[in-house]
Amino acid sequence: MEKEKKMKKMKKISVVTIFRLILLSVILIVVICAVVAHVVKRETLDTYRDFAFSYTNTVSTNIDPETIEKYLKTGKTDNYWDSVESLMMGMVHGAKLRYLYVYVPEEEGIRYVWDAQLDDDSRPLRDIWYYDDDFPKEEVMEAYTEGTECFTTYNYGDMDLAAAVSPLKDYNGKTVALIQTDILMPRIRSNIRDTIIFVTIGVCVVMIFVMNVFYFFTRKRIIVPLTKIKTAAEGMVENLDRDKRVSIDVHTGDEIEVLARSFEEMDDKLHAYITENDHITAEKERVNTELALATKIQADMLPNIFPAYPERGEFNIYADMTPAKEVGGDFYDYFFTDTNHLAIVIADVSGKGIPAAMFMMMAKSMIQSQAITGHKPSQVLATVNDMICSNNRERMFVTVWLGVLDVTTGVLTAANAGHEKPIMYHPGGEFEVINDKHGFVIGGKKGMKYPDYELKMEPGSKLFIYTDGVPEATDKNNELFGIERTLDTLNSMKEGAPEDILMVIDRDVYKFVRSAEQFDDLTMLCIEYCGTDAADAPKKKYLREKEITLDASIENIEEVTEFVNRELRRLACPPVIQAQIDVAIDEVFGNIANYAYGSGDGEATVRIEVDEDEPSVTIIFSDNGVPFDPLKVEEPDITLTSRERKVGGLGIFMVKNTMDEVDYKYKGGKNNLRIKKILNIN
């Protein structure tokens, strides 16, 4: 919907091109006219300047500078004075100058020697004209004292004048007077205006012609071909599901034609890719189905019904395996070799994936078949080692810890073939690592011997065995979870049941690793010895729970999804159901991240409950944000198109239709949305 709104706001390239051409033309016309106006004004003023100075220079050559002092002293005119006056009047009328006069500047005004005016209102000899505010007094005084020319403009009454001032020097080079001619500025402005109008009209005509030529060329060579490419691109999307190829009639002979041919080639490759992708998808689905089946087979091979042996109250045992891939090489096992002896196994095959899983199944079967004969753990490991070494072309090996618990006495006899050291807890104490003697790995070398050792378990004692996936779990900074953290977690749950202990270990490992990829299989087993006095005590039904609390942000959706998927993989959840759950997580947690806390920050808790009897998965999303029941949002009309349908409500609609149960409660100041999915594992 948002994309469609943006498309509506987009303008056609032809309209944009015309608008930009007009804008560019206006800018060019303004710039050209401004430049022309400046140049014309400068050139016109230069022309008038030269014109004005030609008259002041002519007057200068026809005046005897020695007469100036005499005329100013006596105030009397003569024939020579009259001849100069006549010459200047002829210049004024012949060239239509406004004023042409010779004067001596004084502090308060100018004192005339000769004055010729266009209106024949000349001032007499020795008459003084007092400066007004507009007269260029400073320029005039500088020209007189420095003996230099100047050209300036000023106002006199309602007249705008351009004045050219030239010094009249005596034979010794001393300035004795100034010769000034004034020209009316309207004549200058009129010439400038006429020139600008003429240039503007010419530029507009040329620009309109150029615009039309450029637009015609642009439309033919760019706009029309691009429109054809756009139409073809839309056709590519519409015809993806049909065997119809795109053909673009563009022959411009430039990069646009190359682009058109590229679209055609891309269309061919896209159809080929879709065909190939269909085959790959089908093959991937087949592989995923087989992997899901392999995961289920592996999970079914391991004891996974809890509580185990509900009729036996002497012990409480729980185990868990989370493979790094769909299937893994770790395994655990427990079984009775006779009425009172419980064999316990945990092992780690070298490598991962299908090969490790196959080797794991073989090793598990061999160990069980040898252990039920009643032999000691050392003999079982030695026999299995020789059997594997006799036909181990792939050079694979497995580390194994094998123990046999006498449930009547609590005596545990064990042997270790290169596996992690067990961790033991006795009532009143702490969980501690047992530094047992290690033998060589199974499958490494034929004829190896493995020493037995005994551990005494009393009622309340707990044994924790594990693979290296626990202490070697690595975060994004390549830091290991380590044995110390493992012990800290175990000691925080000393009084907990085995299933609770493993749940907390799994939670702490996951919090530590966070978004880093799981590198190794994570397998754990915990057994609590209850003693013979508890033999008839009933065992509770198992309902596994896990939870994670983290910032309610879009970036954490992936972490929540992986948190849930770890449990789904352990349960061999079908890929289709897992995909539906992932979509639900994305929608629900995304809504919490976007809307629960407005523009502020907050946390969200995600709890997963697994009922392995049904089997089903329940996920509860909790947050402290604004109370909001998403189930009350009006359901969208899916019969309408995406353009016609209102925005919102589609996500929660999908969740309600893919999950088996969805409900909402606001309790304890928290929003609580619960979704449940039955796994349908056959």
Side-chain angles (χ1 to χ4, degrees), residues 53 62 84 104 131 140 185 221 307 325 425 441 508 543 608:
F53 276 122
N62 286 277
V84 173
V104 175
Y131 299 124
V140 167
M185 285 292 289
R221 305 285 297 192
K325 295 186 177 181
Y425 164 76
V441 297
D508 286 3
L543 178 66
I608 178 172

Side-chain angles (χ1 to χ4, degrees), residues 55-188:
Y55 285 97
T56 59
N57 291 334
T58 299
V59 172
S60 175
T61 57
N62 286 277
I63 294 179
D64 182 2
E66 301 296 334
T67 63
I68 298 300
E69 185 177 359
K70 180 186 72 170
Y71 288 135
L72 290 176
K73 282 183 178 182
T74 63
K76 294 181 179 181
T77 62
D78 53 19
N79 291 334
Y80 178 75
W81 189 94
D82 291 338
S83 65
V84 173
E85 177 78 6
S86 177
L87 173 66
M88 292 174 61
M89 288 297 296
M91 292 181 181
V92 168
H93 287 281
K96 296 188 181 303
L97 305 177
R98 186 66 185 84
Y99 301 111
L100 179 62
Y101 47 106
V102 180
Y103 63 91
V104 175
E106 297 179 356
E107 186 62 31
E108 296 181 352
I110 61 173
R111 191 171 296 279
Y112 286 94
V113 181
W114 285 280
D115 182 30
Q117 298 187 23
L118 189 62
D119 54 8
D120 296 331
D121 188 21
S122 302
R123 292 180 179 272
L125 175 65
R126 292 183 63 184
D127 190 19
I128 188 169
W129 178 82
Y130 295 98
Y131 299 124
D132 61 15
D133 293 337
D134 294 321
F135 187 80
K137 177 183 177 183
E138 293 182 0
E139 289 90 336
V140 167
M141 293 302 295
E142 183 179 355
Y144 184 74
T145 57
E146 300 294 333
T148 57
E149 293 182 338
C150 76
F151 184 80
T152 185
T153 60
Y154 72 100
N155 296 324
Y156 181 57
D158 58 353
M159 294 183 292
D160 294 335
L161 301 174
V165 181
S166 297
L168 178 64
K169 298 180 180 181
D170 61 16
Y171 301 118
N172 295 320
K174 180 182 177 182
T175 302
V176 295
L178 294 178
I179 304 170
Q180 181 170 332
T181 181
D182 293 343
I183 304 172
L184 287 170
M185 285 292 289
R187 292 178 59 192
I188 300 175

Side-chain angles (χ1 to χ4, degrees), residues 449-470:
K449 302 297 182 182
Y450 300 91
D452 287 315
Y453 65 93
E454 288 188 353
L455 297 172
K456 183 66 172 72
M457 299 185 73
E458 54 191 80
S461 295
K462 296 182 180 73
L463 176 70
F464 176 75
I465 52 178
Y466 53 95
T467 61
D468 58 3
V470 176

